[in-house]
Amino acid sequence: MPSSLAAKRAVVTGAANGIGLAVARRLVAEGARVAMLDVESSVLETAARQLGADVLPLAADVSDEGALAAAVAAAADAWGGLDIVVANAAIEPATEDGRAHELELDVWRRVLDVNLTGVFLTCKHGIQALLAAGGGSVVCTASPTGLLGIAPDETAYSASKAGVVGLVRTLAAAYADDRIRVNGVVPGVTDTHLARAYLEDPGGQEELRRRVPAARAATPDEIAAAIAFLASDESSYVTGALLPVDGGLTAA
């Protein structure tokens, strides 16, 4: 039976590495054409070459509306429209983030600009393309830190991801009549460059075993599988959902 993602046209942000790259790889493997957006242009080009002819690398900063809008438009022009938008790009400057009274305003602004405003802009311009196509699917990458106060030393990151949660719910309600579904995936600790220092630290490894029932980090491919499901027609009656893929972290 052919994949319901076959011939779909997608945009994935933060696609040069980590979860975004895994998502692009999964969508291409299931027959989709994917525009890969990332601010790291050289890394993006290398990643795109590995995925073959059905990808389009587009360098863009998601917090820059002009650049983001141009990239989404280029993707829609290249593929003749869009069916899927994956708003995944994020930063987590853990050594600069902190409790509110310690947090520098420029760090707060930088994190919110990418992690929340960037998701909003990706949705804004992506949804314009989906409206033109008659519907589609949006998937945003959230975090357990936006649901629970489990990262008290990461005020900016946690607040940005809480904003993503609210955005998913708002957009799901706003665009259901337009046949556009909007969902969020909530990855737990995932073995990417963002979490590498934590995972390589003995204290981090011990905390992971103690707090996560599955006692391990997720692989990017495990998160990509959930995003592919939410992006596909297999989840046609799912909108406004926040799907935890966290090894039981938010259930414990």
Side-chain angles (χ1 to χ4, degrees), residues 7-10 33 56 72-83 129-130 132-134:
K8 297 289 189 183
R9 303 156 299 179
R33 290 169 289 172
L56 176 66
V72 172
D77 287 346
W79 303 141
L82 292 178
D83 306 292
L130 298 185

Side-chain angles (χ1 to χ4, degrees), residues 5-245:
L5 288 166
K8 297 289 189 183
R9 303 156 299 179
V11 163
V12 180
T13 67
N17 46 46
I19 291 171
L21 177 57
V23 171
R25 184 185 301 114
R26 175 65 179 254
L27 296 182
V28 168
E30 296 204 28
R33 290 169 289 172
V34 181
M36 301 170 65
L37 274 63
D38 204 286
V39 72
E40 297 185 64
S41 57
S42 60
V43 180
L44 178 64
E45 292 284 349
T46 300
R49 282 195 296 270
Q50 297 171 357
L51 298 189
D54 287 329
V55 299
L56 176 66
L58 295 166
D61 180 346
V62 295
S63 68
D64 180 336
E65 182 166 18
L68 189 281
V72 172
D77 287 346
W79 303 141
L82 292 178
D83 306 292
I84 296 165
V85 175
V86 180
N88 168 75
I91 59 173
E92 187 178 8
T95 59
E96 300 173 72
D97 210 338
R99 295 188 297 165
H101 76 284
E102 304 165 314
L103 183 59
E104 295 293 337
L105 181 58
D106 68 314
V107 176
W108 168 270
R109 284 176 170 156
R110 178 156 41 95
V111 173
L112 270 288
D113 279 352
V114 175
N115 294 7
L116 183 53
T117 301
V119 170
F120 161 71
L121 291 174
T122 301
C123 292
K124 173 183 175 179
H125 293 282
I127 285 171
Q128 288 176 2
L130 298 185
L131 287 169
S137 176
V138 177
V139 185
C140 302
T141 303
S143 169
T145 64
L147 298 172
L148 305 170
I150 58 175
D153 292 330
E154 293 191 46
T155 301
Y157 183 80
S158 300
S160 72
K161 291 299 186 176
V164 171
V165 168
L167 187 62
V168 164
R169 290 173 170 152
T170 301
L171 297 181
Y175 291 99
D177 285 347
D178 298 296
R179 300 181 62 221
I180 295 174
R181 299 182 299 106
V182 184
N183 293 291
V185 68
V186 186
V189 179
T190 305
D191 190 3
T192 70
H193 63 292
L194 289 180
R196 195 60 42 77
Y198 174 80
L199 292 173
E200 291 176 351
D201 179 74
Q205 295 171 18
E206 174 55 33
E207 183 179 51
L208 185 70
R209 288 189 291 270
R210 176 171 51 83
R211 296 179 66 178
V212 179
R216 66 172 179 86
T219 68
D221 288 341
E222 288 174 311
I223 311 303
I227 292 175
F229 165 69
L230 291 173
S232 77
D233 294 340
E234 298 301 311
S235 60
S236 58
Y237 197 57
V238 181
T239 194
L242 294 156
L243 177 59
V245 189

